[in-house]
Amino acid sequence: MTRQPEFVRPAREALLISVVLPVYNESKVLETLTRAVTEAIRETGCDGELIYINDGSRDGSGELLDRLALADPQVKVLHLSRNFGHQAAVQAGLAHARGDVAVIMDSDMQDDPRSIGRFLEKWREGYDVVYAIRTGRKENAVKKFLFYSFYRVLNAISRTPMPPDAGNFGLVDRRVAEEIARLRDRDRYYAGLRSWVGFRQTGVEVERGPRYDGRPRVSMLGLWRLAKSAIFSFSSFPLSLFYAIGVTSMAVFFLLGIFVLYHKLFTGLAIPGWASNTMVSSFFGAMNALGIAVLGEYVTRIYDQVRDRPLYLVDRWVNFPEDRRVGQHVELNNGCVEKVLES
Ligand code: UDP
Ligand code: MG
């Protein structure tokens, strides 16, 4: 996954960092968080904007964010019309980020804003994506085990290699943010999409802090749904299981057939009706599983087609004049991003 960058980014003045912060009922921590993030940006010596996405909060977070924005023009707030969920909020934030880099983080103090400086160092070395590898999770043992297994199972069956223990927290270059925002997947798993787009990626170990109030806003059911999105949008393994089931049942049918016919024809030990019953049911059991497997092949292809992810993304062109560049990037400069997102 980690590739050596081929170049170092030239030092630039007035670099803009957009920090994307989805918020769902976090009023108690917003002031502290704003201060911490502003301070972290100041330490990098860059300009910054905090993009808060108020995802239908009902605890006064919205009003508080308006007040914070009034006091500091760096703070920008996007109020969604209702609660659309964490992944949708991140997508909305990415689509509105205009910085040279975008940092995605939780608004619950679990992601340490001071890591922004370390991410930026890697970006300056030439990496386009710097993700946090989470260490020292503070959740209970069951949740920790589930997270641990999820990342490993997903990586084993996904067609896109994904770094384990890396969630949303991290920095992406502006063009990566734009590419991710343009992906039309409705069932979104941000960390997977970030791996999917490619470019130069690397991880930085970051300690995951405790949640300030110990009450996660994404429920276990929400996490389960996210795990399903991750698995079904990046792997067709669950469907291919039916091939295995179909082939195994076919083999069972043949062996059983031989056994049953032998007794029917030679030993006479077969009870009347048994041979035909056993053979018919095992044959149709196998046909069912194979049928599902074949249907699955079509469904997977239809799913790929409707999701409409581009077939490739171009990192850069060498010696290709502008009008000969064919690829996702060409469209980036003509307002297509907004058009796609609005549709
Ligand atoms: N969040 C959101 N919409 C939701 C649920 C959560 O915007 O419907 C925000 C939440 O305020 C937090 C981030 O998404 O900033 C991650 O949520 P949480 O901390 O509950 O997730 P976890 O860290 O447990 O994965
Ligand atoms: Mg959290």
Side-chain angles (χ1 to χ4, degrees):
M1 173 105 292
T2 303
R3 251 172 60 199
Q4 280 304 309
E6 286 110 28
F7 62 94
V8 174
R9 284 179 217 278
R12 287 210 346 240
E13 307 244 319
L15 198 72
L16 179 66
I17 306 177
S18 303
V19 183
V20 173
L21 298 141
V23 171
Y24 182 55
N25 299 342
E26 312 278 15
S27 59
K28 290 204 183 68
V29 80
L30 288 174
E31 271 166 295
T32 321
L33 179 71
T34 306
R35 243 178 286 124
V37 175
T38 312
E39 174 61 20
I41 295 174
R42 205 185 51 75
E43 273 171 20
T44 64
C46 304
D47 291 336
E49 57 174 5
L50 281 71
I51 302 184
Y52 279 112
I53 307 94
N54 172 23
D55 185 19
S57 301
R58 278 172 294 180
D59 69 336
S61 293
E63 293 70 26
L64 181 51
L65 286 173
D66 285 343
R67 255 183 283 135
L68 290 170
L70 209 60
D72 180 358
Q74 273 197 335
V75 177
K76 303 193 163 86
V77 188
L78 191 69
H79 296 279
L80 302 187
S81 59
R82 64 169 170 85
N83 178 248
F84 284 92
H86 182 192
Q87 298 289 319
V90 167
Q91 164 72 356
L94 267 188
H96 285 79
R98 287 292 171 268
D100 300 281
V101 300
V103 172
I104 315 291
M105 59 186 283
D106 282 4
S107 309
D108 57 1
M109 303 302 277
Q110 279 195 283
D111 299 329
D112 186 353
R114 285 169 302 183
S115 317
I116 296 176
R118 289 168 65 207
F119 295 158
L120 207 60
E121 258 169 48
K122 286 283 174 196
W123 179 80
R124 288 216 163 93
E125 284 173 24
Y127 288 101
D128 298 296
V129 173
V130 189
Y131 50 81
I133 302 170
R134 287 158 170 181
T135 59
R137 270 185 180 277
K138 307 290 182 297
E139 278 100 1
N140 62 43
V142 177
K143 214 167 163 182
K144 260 198 234 170
F145 171 76
L146 289 176
F147 272 114
Y148 181 89
S149 328
F150 164 72
Y151 283 121
R152 275 139 195 95
V153 168
L154 179 64
N155 206 19
I157 64 175
S158 156
R159 281 163 290 170
T160 312
M162 292 177 203
D165 305 317
N168 283 10
F169 191 30
L171 173 149
V172 292
D173 184 76
R174 180 204 193 116
R175 60 184 179 156
V176 174
E178 286 177 343
E179 296 290 9
I180 297 176
R182 280 157 56 82
L183 294 177
R184 304 182 63 149
D185 290 49
R186 299 197 58 84
D187 201 17
R188 296 180 83 89
Y189 171 57
Y190 171 77
L193 297 172
R194 185 184 58 198
S195 293
W196 184 89
V197 294
F199 299 100
R200 286 161 289 268
Q201 307 215 354
T202 190
V204 167
E205 284 205 356
V206 171
E207 174 129 2
R208 181 123 166 108
R211 205 176 207 290
Y212 70 97
D213 60 355
R215 281 191 306 115
R217 303 301 188 265
V218 178
S219 60
M220 280 309 271
L221 182 66
L223 288 178
W224 166 246
R225 288 207 186 109
L226 184 63
K228 274 197 309 179
S229 295
I231 287 173
F232 289 110
S233 15
F234 290 97
S235 162
S236 51
F237 176 77
L239 266 174
S240 50
L241 271 183
F242 277 94
Y243 267 121
I245 297 174
V247 170
T248 316
S249 354
M250 258 311 169
V252 170
F253 162 70
F254 276 117
L255 293 175
L256 207 66
I258 295 167
F259 176 73
V260 166
L261 284 179
Y262 171 76
H263 284 298
K264 177 90 187 154
L265 300 174
F266 301 110
T267 66
L269 287 176
I271 307 158
W274 174 68
S276 49
N277 234 330
T278 318
M279 289 185 61
V280 166
S281 57
S282 66
F283 177 74
F284 283 105
M287 289 315 279
N288 260 334
L290 285 175
I292 293 173
V294 173
L295 268 183
E297 289 292 332
Y298 286 103
V299 174
T300 323
R301 281 164 180 71
I302 296 169
Y303 185 35
D304 277 345
Q305 189 82 39
V306 286
R307 218 169 17 186
D308 204 20
R309 275 187 207 155
L311 290 179
Y312 63 91
L313 298 176
V314 180
D315 182 358
R316 55 208 174 92
W317 284 266
V318 180
N319 285 348
F320 269 100
E322 192 96 1
D323 58 351
R324 287 201 41 206
R325 299 178 181 184
V326 187
Q328 196 67 15
H329 243 76
V330 181
E331 295 169 357
L332 269 184
N333 303 323
N334 62 10
C336 196
V337 182
E338 280 77 12
K339 253 195 279 156
V340 169
L341 292 166
E342 275 164 17
S343 64

